[in-house]
């Protein structure tokens, strides 16, 4: 395995947990599955549909998201948005994320 | 909400969605199906109007295996036995295959010998027992663990945390196991010899009559506790060679040792061990003195007592 491949696979491990945080951050505004996938992709959070769609349902089951069918347009779509509980979890995760970032930059001060 | 099904995405999507939702709990099927239909249609649409069929194929290929996607929706493991249960599974399987299987095989072989089967048939039967009983053990244990994995409930035993005390003892059992294995072989050999001399009648007199070496009258009496005791000793020693030896097992071994030794002492005392016809033919006119039998009886008692004491010293509480 070359260096690039190693970086790629390790980076995937790093990103894995960030999808939940990104969803909780983005779904302040109601959004349906495919649009959310696109927004995440544009924001640089790469995630596959077959991971994201089941994840949204799981977060809903855990009470972090609320969903609603929107039948106003020609194609009915399920819209998700953050619940009050989801907002609290997002705050906690965000603090965790910032602390991790701070720790890593302290640890790697010499490398830059 | 099935009326909401997006139309015009073609039967390929319908078939794909059906494959996914039939693997998730019934109460979520309609909702997941509707959402998947809409999402796939959105994705196909976003990739442009050119050649929608090829695009649909492409999108479904990216969504991947319906079994995998359904497992994600149902939050179900994609492994038969997951990382939580795997250590317990391997430990139990090892114990079953290393101790229970040999004992079952030995008992089966002993029964075959009692039925008067030949060496070839006994070995064949033993090989068959190892294969079929072994396969059954692996299959049923795997089924049970797969069911536990899917039930989502973890019994206490599986969730028991590992501590360094669970490490196998490397030195002590090794030292005693060679001697214990020797005893297993010796007792198994005794069983085989007792049965063989009765069923095959290997001794032949000058006029061609075949005789039992041991008194045939024993088969309607004292030979049975002796054989039962020997089978018990083989089983217990087999356990002792590979597992932790406890006081309970030691107590059982007293029962087995007693079942074996006490009738044997009684038989020796009454000089009923050998077939009189065999003795008169083999010894000619010579008759063994009573003292010889007494020495043998005392010897059996001494060895058995020594064994019992040794087993108890080894036993852990």
């Amino acid at each position: 395995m070359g260096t690039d491949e190693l970086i790629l696979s390790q980076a995937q491990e790093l990103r894995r947990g960030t999808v939940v945080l990104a969803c909780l951050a983005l779904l302040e505004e109601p959004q349906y599955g495919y649009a959310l996938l696109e927004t995440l992709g544009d924001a640089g959070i790469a995630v596959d549909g077959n991971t994201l769609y089941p994840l949204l349902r799981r977060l809903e089951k855990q009470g972090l998201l609320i969903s609603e069918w929107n039948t106003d347009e020609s194609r009915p779509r399920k819209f998700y948005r953050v619940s009050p509980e989801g907002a609290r979890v997002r705050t906690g995760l965000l603090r965790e994320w910032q602390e991790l970032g701070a720790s890593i930059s302290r640890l790697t001060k010499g490398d830059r | 909400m099935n009326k909401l099904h997006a139309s015009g995405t073609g039967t390929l999507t319908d078939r794909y969605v059906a494959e996914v939702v039939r693997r998730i709990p019934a109460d979520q099927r309609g909702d997941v199906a509707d959402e998947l239909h809409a999402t796939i249609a959105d994705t196909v649409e976003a990739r442009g109007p050119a050649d929608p069929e090829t695009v649909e194929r492409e999108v479904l290929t990216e969504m991947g295996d319906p079994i995998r996607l359904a497992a994600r929706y149902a939050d179900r493991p994609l492994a038969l036995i997951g990382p939580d249960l795997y250590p317990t599974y391997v430990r139990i399987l090892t114990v079953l295959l290393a101790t229970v299987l040999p004992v079952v095989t030995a008992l089966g072989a002993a029964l075959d010998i009692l039925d008067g089967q030949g060496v070839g048939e006994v070995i064949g039967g033993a090989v068959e027992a190892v294969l079929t009983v072994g396969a059954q053990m692996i299959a049923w244990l795997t089924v049970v663990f797969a069911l536990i994995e899917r039930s989502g409930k973890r019994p206490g035993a599986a969730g028991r945390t590992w501590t360094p005390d669970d490490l196998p003892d490397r030195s002590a059992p090794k030292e005693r196991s060679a001697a214990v294995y020797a005893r297993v072989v010796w007792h198994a050999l005794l069983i085989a010899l007792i049965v063989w001399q009765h069923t095959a009648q290997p001794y032949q007199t000058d006029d061609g009559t075949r005789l039992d070496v041991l008194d045939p009258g024993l088969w309607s009496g004292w030979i049975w506790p002796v054989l039962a005791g020997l089978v018990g000793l083989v089983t217990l020693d087999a356990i002792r060679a590979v597992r932790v030896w406890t006081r309970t097992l030691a107590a059982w071994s007293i029962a087995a040792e007693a079942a074996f030794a006490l009738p044997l002492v009684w038989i020796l005392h009454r000089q009923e061990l050998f077939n009189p016809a065999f003795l008169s033919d083999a010894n000619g006119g010579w008759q063994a003195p009573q003292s010889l039998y007494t020495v043998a009886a005392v010897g059996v008692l001494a060895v058995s007592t020594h064994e019992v004491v040794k087993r108890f010293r080894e036993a852990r509480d």
Side-chain angles (χ1 to χ4, degrees):
Chain A
M1 220 189 254
T3 315
D4 289 346
E5 280 172 70
L6 279 172
I7 292 174
L8 209 68
S9 71
Q10 294 293 341
Q12 216 165 4
E13 294 289 322
L14 275 182
R15 286 198 197 112
R16 191 157 292 165
T18 63
V19 178
V20 172
L21 180 53
C23 284
L24 291 177
L26 276 173
L27 289 174
E28 201 53 51
E29 296 296 315
Q31 189 84 281
Y32 62 95
Y34 180 72
L36 179 65
L37 187 79
E38 291 287 282
T39 319
L40 283 172
D42 292 343
I45 312 269
V47 55
D48 288 329
N50 57 17
T51 306
L52 180 69
Y53 305 138
L55 175 72
L56 290 174
R57 292 192 76 91
R58 192 155 64 240
L59 294 178
E60 186 192 359
K61 211 166 128 188
Q62 289 172 351
L64 305 185
L65 296 180
I66 300 166
S67 77
E68 207 175 351
W69 279 92
N70 182 326
T71 49
D72 295 346
E73 290 181 54
S74 63
R75 183 177 295 139
R77 292 181 178 118
K78 197 177 190 181
F79 278 71
Y80 293 91
R81 66 186 164 81
V82 174
S83 71
E85 173 73 354
R88 281 191 289 274
V89 169
R90 179 184 60 206
T91 313
L93 284 178
L94 206 57
R95 196 186 313 122
E96 199 71 27
W97 171 261
Q98 279 153 357
E99 279 168 14
L100 265 178
S103 302
I104 294 291
S105 47
R106 268 200 309 279
L107 285 172
T108 54
K109 223 175 257 169
D111 294 349
R112 280 180 296 155
Chain B
M1 245 192 246
N2 285 316
K3 61 179 170 16
L4 291 173
H5 274 178
S7 55
T9 44
T11 56
L12 209 56
T13 302
D14 289 338
R15 276 158 57 202
Y16 182 83
V17 172
E19 272 300 285
V20 174
V21 296
R22 77 185 181 85
R23 293 186 166 84
I24 64 176
D27 56 333
Q28 301 167 27
R29 271 179 207 152
D31 202 52
V32 171
D34 291 338
E35 194 183 4
L36 260 182
H37 266 293
T39 306
I40 291 168
D42 280 339
T43 316
V44 171
E45 203 178 80
R47 302 213 176 164
D51 199 2
E53 265 175 49
T54 317
V55 175
E56 188 186 7
R57 271 195 102 76
E58 211 177 272
V59 170
L60 292 182
T61 310
E62 282 167 21
M63 293 296 280
D65 194 328
I67 295 183
R68 190 183 293 270
L69 186 58
R72 285 182 180 159
Y73 270 116
D75 217 359
R76 201 187 310 126
L78 266 173
L80 196 59
I81 292 160
D84 284 351
L85 291 174
Y86 185 76
T88 313
Y89 171 74
V90 167
R91 249 178 232 131
I92 295 182
L93 189 61
T94 315
V95 171
L96 279 180
L97 294 183
T99 62
V100 182
L101 182 59
V103 170
V104 171
T105 308
L107 287 176
L111 285 176
D112 279 353
I113 295 168
L114 283 177
D115 282 348
Q117 308 219 7
V119 179
E121 281 159 328
V122 171
I123 293 175
V127 171
E128 203 186 304
V130 167
L131 293 179
T132 54
V133 176
Q136 293 270 340
M137 281 175 176
I138 296 171
W140 287 111
L141 190 75
T142 309
V143 166
V144 168
F145 269 80
L147 286 177
I148 298 173
E149 180 73 53
R150 263 143 199 78
S151 75
K153 294 185 198 86
R154 300 288 145 78
R160 200 175 64 92
T161 1
W162 183 91
T163 75
D165 294 337
D166 294 334
L167 284 175
D169 202 345
R170 289 203 72 83
S171 54
K174 281 281 183 293
E175 282 162 17
R176 69 164 193 246
S177 61
V180 175
Y181 277 122
R183 295 201 67 80
V184 171
V185 172
W186 161 239
H187 285 141
L189 202 66
L190 265 184
I191 298 173
L193 278 175
I194 291 173
V195 175
W196 175 68
Q197 63 81 34
H198 180 59
T199 53
Q201 293 187 315
Y203 187 81
Q204 223 169 344
T205 60
D206 293 336
D207 55 19
T209 327
R210 303 183 73 94
L211 290 175
D212 278 26
V213 176
L214 301 184
D215 193 336
L218 291 172
W219 289 91
S220 49
W222 287 116
I223 203 76
W224 295 108
V226 171
L227 282 175
L230 282 173
V231 170
L233 287 175
V234 168
T235 313
L236 288 163
D237 277 337
I239 296 170
R240 182 171 158 218
V242 287
R243 304 301 304 166
V244 174
W245 185 242
T246 63
R247 275 180 188 274
T248 318
L249 289 170
W252 276 105
S253 80
I254 294 189
E257 194 78 56
F260 161 68
L262 297 180
L264 186 58
V265 168
W266 177 248
I267 294 164
L268 284 169
H269 171 69
R270 296 184 41 126
Q271 303 192 16
E272 282 171 352
L273 181 63
F274 292 107
N275 187 355
F278 159 74
L279 280 185
S280 63
D281 191 77
N283 288 346
W286 184 74
Q287 256 222 305
Q290 169 69 36
S291 59
L292 204 62
Y293 283 99
T294 310
V295 167
V298 170
V300 168
L301 268 183
V303 170
S304 288
T305 313
H306 173 67
E307 278 300 314
V308 166
V309 171
K310 212 166 72 180
R311 285 193 174 94
F312 256 93
R313 280 212 187 124
E314 275 180 22
R316 290 200 214 163
D317 290 309

